[in-house]
Every structure is written in structure tokens, then in C-alpha cells.
Amino acid sequence: QETWSHTLQDILDLFDKVKESSFPKFYWQWALFLQEMGRSSGEPSDYYQAIQKYKLAIKCGGFSSALYFDYAVALADLGALLQEMSLI
């Protein structure tokens, strides 16, 4: 049976191999995952983390209109969740 234990150095070596141009897409996909986690869990912190990853994707050169749309949806979802929580 294969084990999935990796050292920190293995992970850092993997990131060194990743082309910098793929970082925006990586962070965008990570943000989408965290955003879905937020929808599932209802936790504002998941949305906050997603928003941070969207910011990183943009900072790394992601300028797609679809990226900005997903970023805006995450902000709107977080706002709606916080509004809903304040009514409780």
C-alpha cells in the first residue's frame, strides 16, 4: 500500500518545479475550493480564506474576467452570510 507522507522539503521542491505562470490558476482553484467549503460549512472564515486566495491569484497576474467574477461572488456570499448571522 502506497503511503502519502511527504516531508516539508518534498512539498517545497514540488513548488519549485511549478512554473510561476501557473500560480494564478493554482490560487484561483484553491479559492474556488475554499468558497465551496464556505457554502457547505457556513463558516465565514472559509470565505475569508477564499478571498485571500483570490487576491493572491490577482497579485500573481490573474486578470481574467471570470476570476474577477468568482472573486466578487465570494465577497457577496460572505456579505450575505454575515448579514444573515447578524439577524440571529
Side-chain angles (χ1 to χ4, degrees):
Q1 181 177 0
E2 189 176 285
T3 61
W4 290 97
S5 61
H6 297 284
T7 65
L8 178 59
Q9 189 58 49
D10 292 336
I11 295 168
L12 292 174
D13 290 343
L14 178 62
F15 276 111
D16 286 340
K17 294 176 185 175
V18 175
K19 293 182 182 176
E20 191 171 308
S21 63
S22 66
F23 284 169
K25 186 173 183 178
F26 170 76
Y27 286 123
W28 185 2
Q29 294 299 314
W30 193 357
L32 287 169
F33 170 77
L34 290 167
Q35 191 171 345
E36 284 301 315
M37 292 269 304
R39 286 186 182 128
S40 176
S41 70
E43 288 293 326
S45 62
D46 291 330
Y47 284 105
Y48 176 78
Q49 289 178 14
I51 290 165
Q52 297 308 308
K53 298 306 178 257
Y54 282 121
K55 288 179 181 180
L56 281 171
I58 292 165
K59 184 178 178 181
C60 291
F63 297 109
S64 161
S65 60
L67 168 61
Y68 280 98
F69 177 80
D70 289 339
Y71 179 34
V73 170
L75 290 168
D77 286 350
L78 177 59
L81 179 63
L82 293 175
Q83 176 65 27
E84 191 177 295
M85 292 176 82
S86 71
L87 298 176
I88 295 176

